[in-house]
Amino acid sequence: NSEDVRCKCICPPYKDHSGHIYNKNVSQKDCDCLHVVEPMPVPGPDVEAYCLRCECKYEERSSVTIKVSSVILLA
């Protein structure tokens, strides 16, 4: 299920741009600032410096397990 995986990038404030959290459904190998941060908030020369400040993590979850656990807890 594509909703069970995502890449989450947390980018702190940079120059006159405020911090932002980006989420995107991408493969683990594409979990980086260049593939997830869209639209890029900084112009070309600042992209590398901006991306070095971002922390990107690949996250997986099992929505089926979450739903089953919820039903058991509510029963």
Side-chain angles (χ1 to χ4, degrees), residues 41-69:
V42 296
D46 287 335
V47 168
E48 185 176 356
Y50 181 79
C51 282
L52 286 174
R53 298 170 55 90
C54 296
E55 181 182 335
C56 297
K57 284 191 212 173
Y58 184 74
E59 299 175 343
E60 289 184 78
R61 67 177 184 191
S62 172
S63 58
V64 172
T65 302
I66 294 169
K67 289 175 186 174
V68 169
S69 298

Side-chain angles (χ1 to χ4, degrees), residues 1 5-7 14 16-17 22 24 29 33 37 47 57 69-70 73:
N1 188 351
V5 297
R6 71 176 178 180
C7 182
Y14 178 77
D16 59 343
H17 300 279
Y22 299 89
K24 191 171 182 184
K29 71 177 184 72
C33 174
V37 176
V47 168
K57 284 191 212 173
S69 298
S70 299
L73 287 173

